[in-house]
Amino acid sequence: MMFWYGHDPGGWGWLGMSIGMILFWAALITVGVLLFRALSRPSGTGATGHRPPYRPGPEQLLAERFARGEIDEDEYHRRLDVLRGSGGTRLDKA
């Protein structure tokens, strides 16, 4: 009679196959995710794919200048009125 002993993987063989299977599936999933991200990126965004930098509006810039102390409160309100279109009153006009 012929027996096929010694052909099954032992404990180390099962461990090696388990680790190999986990690494295989991790690599396959990683490639799939990277491929999906590369293909779903809208064209024309450039290499970075980031949004354009934030640019504050004129009222925000004026508020920042007032907060830094570059202009006083009267000048802040006067310029804010001009920006909002109400004209305001000009004191230096003769």
Side-chain angles (χ1 to χ4, degrees):
M1 289 208 154
M2 193 173 223
F3 296 101
W4 297 95
Y5 293 116
H7 291 284
D8 68 307
W12 289 109
W14 286 109
L15 180 67
M17 285 193 313
S18 298
I19 291 173
M21 183 181 65
I22 290 170
L23 291 176
F24 169 76
W25 285 109
L28 192 68
I29 290 170
T30 301
V31 167
V33 167
L34 292 176
L35 187 62
F36 174 76
R37 289 180 63 188
L39 293 177
S40 67
R41 180 179 299 155
S43 62
T45 58
T48 59
H50 295 295
R51 278 189 255 159
Y54 169 72
R55 299 189 77 186
E59 289 184 15
Q60 180 68 31
L61 289 173
L62 185 62
E64 289 175 6
R65 287 187 65 197
F66 177 63
R68 286 192 300 260
E70 294 176 10
I71 57 175
D72 62 355
E73 187 176 358
D74 292 332
E75 187 174 356
Y76 170 74
H77 287 295
R78 184 171 46 88
R79 290 182 182 211
L80 190 61
D81 288 340
V82 170
L83 284 175
R84 291 182 177 167
S86 62
T89 58
R90 293 192 53 141
L91 300 174
D92 59 344
K93 216 175 188 183

